[in-house]
Amino acid sequence: MQKKIVVGYLTSINPMDKRSWSGTYYRMFRALEQQSFEVIALGPLHQPKWFLFSMRILDKVKQLFYGKNFNKQQRLLKSKYFGYQYKRILEKKNIDIIFSPASSAEIAFLNTSIPICYLSDTSFSQTYEFY
């Protein structure tokens, strides 16, 4: 009998929440399970209140200096935080491959030798001028 491939499903949102991203995260999670993969949810990732508060302060400072809003999901510090936290989580798990749908901020600074399969709903060129 062949060993099941273990997929780490990496999102900052709970993939078991049928309302997250209109149920897309949940349906993708279940579709992977139906393909006989062992799927382990690596999120949601807890963000401490002090961290969220400091991100809000930085957003206000940026808005004051630059006069415009920024994409709050694509913050550099938030991405570094995610990378650090997910690396710690992955060190405790036996994952063969990481599946990361629409989670570019979560994997941007993730330092791992585990292959990452990233799925996006857009391309960089489509969002470049928007953000």
Side-chain angles (χ1 to χ4, degrees), residues 8 15 19-20 22 24 36 38 40 42-43 49 57-58 75 88 91-92 99 104 109 111-112 129 131:
R19 295 171 293 163
S20 67
S22 301
T24 305
S36 297
E38 180 182 343
I40 299 172
L42 301 175
K49 288 183 182 184
I57 298 274
L58 283 173
R75 297 179 182 126
R88 290 180 55 202
E91 288 171 348
K92 299 173 187 168
F99 179 64
S104 58
F109 291 96
N111 186 8
T112 183
E129 291 297 323
Y131 294 117

Side-chain angles (χ1 to χ4, degrees), residues 22-128:
S22 301
T24 305
Y25 286 131
Y26 175 78
R27 294 284 178 205
M28 284 192 276
F29 188 96
R30 293 295 181 211
L32 287 169
E33 286 182 325
Q34 289 173 357
Q35 297 302 313
S36 297
F37 295 120
E38 180 182 343
V39 187
I40 299 172
L42 301 175
L45 189 61
H46 172 72
Q47 298 173 57
K49 288 183 182 184
W50 66 265
F51 182 76
L52 295 172
F53 178 74
S54 62
M55 291 294 99
R56 279 193 291 264
I57 298 274
L58 283 173
D59 288 342
K60 295 293 183 190
V61 170
K62 285 180 189 177
Q63 188 175 27
L64 180 68
F65 280 103
Y66 296 108
K68 60 183 178 178
N69 290 320
F70 292 86
N71 180 352
K72 293 172 177 44
Q73 299 304 316
Q74 304 294 329
R75 297 179 182 126
L76 184 64
L77 287 175
K78 187 175 181 181
S79 291
K80 288 188 177 203
Y81 174 79
F82 282 143
Y84 173 75
Q85 292 297 328
Y86 279 119
K87 182 178 181 180
R88 290 180 55 202
I89 291 169
L90 289 168
E91 288 171 348
K92 299 173 187 168
K93 309 249 184 230
N94 190 16
I95 304 288
D96 296 314
I97 189 166
I98 297 167
F99 179 64
S100 182
S103 302
S104 58
E106 289 78 355
I107 63 171
F109 291 96
L110 178 58
N111 186 8
T112 183
S113 61
I114 302 169
I116 300 173
C117 176
Y118 173 69
L119 174 72
S120 181
D121 63 337
T122 188
S123 68
F124 175 76
S125 63
Q126 290 174 316
T127 60
Y128 178 70

